[in-house]
Amino acid sequence: MTFLDYAFMQRALLAAVLVGITAPAVGIYLVQRRQALMGDGIGHVAMTGVGLGFLLSWSPVWMATAVSVLGAVLMELIRWYGKTRGDIALAMLFYGGMAGGVMLINLAPGGSNTNLMSYLFGSLTTVSQEDVTAICLLAAFVLLVTLGLRRQLFAVSQDEEFARVTGLPVRALNLLTAVTAAVTVTVAMRIVGLLLVSALMVVPVAAAQQLSRSFAATFAIAVAIGVSVTIGGTVTTYYRNVPPGATIVLLAIGVFVLLTALATPLARRRARAAAQETGDPAECTIPATRSPERKVGV
């Protein structure tokens, strides 16, 4: 008998694949915008939605989606109008969301710390058929936005001023990116957990950037890494009884370290080859390694 014979593992693997696709698909735009920690903040806010779901006996996934979308909209409004006090308002929003979620879960009938931990760090056995249905619908929305509007979102992520000059609705696209990130957080929370979902948005993208400089290739490699680590982490959790979210994130970080180690000597070799072609000393050339703030191109 294999792990696929169990219904809960079938549901968990399907959810893991969808998470592995959607998290990097949104994360690549957040990395370009230097908003890598947005997912972490939305995860804090989503806890209030989970708590409301338990308190009102509604689906925690759908309630978390509604609250996290509202939180993402507020985050964008604060970014636009907050100015010098924006960071304080964001901190209050994030910590208030987490505190509200913890309080509501404990006030809810049948609420417990066990329920809280499964949403904070993920749990395979608690993924229900209702959760899978919600995750499939939300993942479809995320892919529709990130693929269907990839050129517009990329343009805004690269240079807002240039995108505005070309006639793109910059604020609407920024708002759509934030909403899509919020939906992705709720897609991933049953597998990775609200506290670790931001890592799955960012780390596969950072790993893919070690191999590619083009947007399309980085997107494809990041999604491939995301799917690989979510499936690997889910299977490892079944056999080793370890937390799924932590396992998936550690696998993603391991892939990043491995690709970085492989990319560094290749970049140096390319630099030497370029120096030989131009006749300049190798030490005078700029290394081809990517800096954390460098953006990928189309």
Side-chain angles (χ1 to χ4, degrees), residues 44-290:
H44 284 66
V45 176
M47 272 303 301
T48 295
V50 173
L52 279 174
F54 278 103
L55 186 65
L56 302 176
S57 299
W58 292 349
S59 169
V61 174
W62 288 113
M63 284 300 300
T65 301
V67 173
S68 60
V69 166
L70 178 60
V73 172
L74 289 175
M75 288 170 61
E76 278 299 299
L77 293 176
I78 291 171
R79 190 170 73 89
W80 295 342
Y81 303 113
K83 297 182 180 180
T84 56
R85 295 184 179 272
D87 57 339
I88 298 176
L90 287 175
M92 294 178 63
L93 179 65
F94 297 162
Y95 299 134
M98 178 63 73
V102 173
M103 181 64 69
L104 290 173
I105 286 178
N106 281 275
L107 291 176
S112 66
N113 289 332
T114 302
N115 294 329
L116 177 63
M117 293 297 290
S118 68
Y119 283 92
L120 288 178
F121 300 105
S123 176
L124 299 184
T125 58
T126 57
V127 179
S128 65
Q129 186 59 49
E130 182 184 29
D131 291 335
V132 171
T133 301
I135 290 171
C136 288
L137 293 174
L138 295 172
F141 168 78
V142 172
L143 293 178
L144 182 65
V145 172
T146 55
L147 293 177
L149 297 175
R150 62 188 181 279
R151 294 185 182 276
Q152 293 89 335
L153 294 177
F154 176 80
V156 173
S157 299
Q158 286 287 92
D159 191 334
E160 287 192 6
E161 292 302 322
F162 178 77
R164 187 175 288 109
V165 170
T166 60
L168 290 176
V170 173
R171 286 196 171 182
L173 289 170
N174 282 336
L175 194 60
L176 182 61
T177 301
V179 170
T180 307
V183 173
T184 304
V185 167
T186 56
V187 168
M189 71 179 181
R190 302 301 280 134
I191 298 296
V192 185
L194 291 172
L195 293 184
L196 297 174
V197 62
S198 184
L200 196 59
M201 290 181 176
V202 175
V203 178
V205 176
Q209 287 179 340
Q210 306 304 310
L211 300 179
S212 173
R213 298 181 183 182
S214 74
F215 177 80
T218 300
F219 188 102
I221 295 171
V223 169
I225 293 172
V227 172
S228 299
V229 298
T230 51
I231 292 177
T234 302
V235 174
T236 302
T237 297
Y238 172 78
Y239 284 110
R240 297 297 181 183
N241 194 26
V242 290
T247 305
I248 290 170
V249 171
L250 289 175
L251 285 175
I253 293 175
V255 171
F256 171 79
V257 172
L258 176 62
L259 293 182
T260 301
L262 294 175
T264 300
L266 291 176
R268 290 175 179 171
R269 188 176 305 171
R270 287 195 297 266
R272 294 193 190 99
Q276 291 174 358
E277 291 178 1
T278 58
D280 295 328
E283 61 269 16
C284 292
T285 61
I286 300 175
T289 53
R290 301 184 58 82

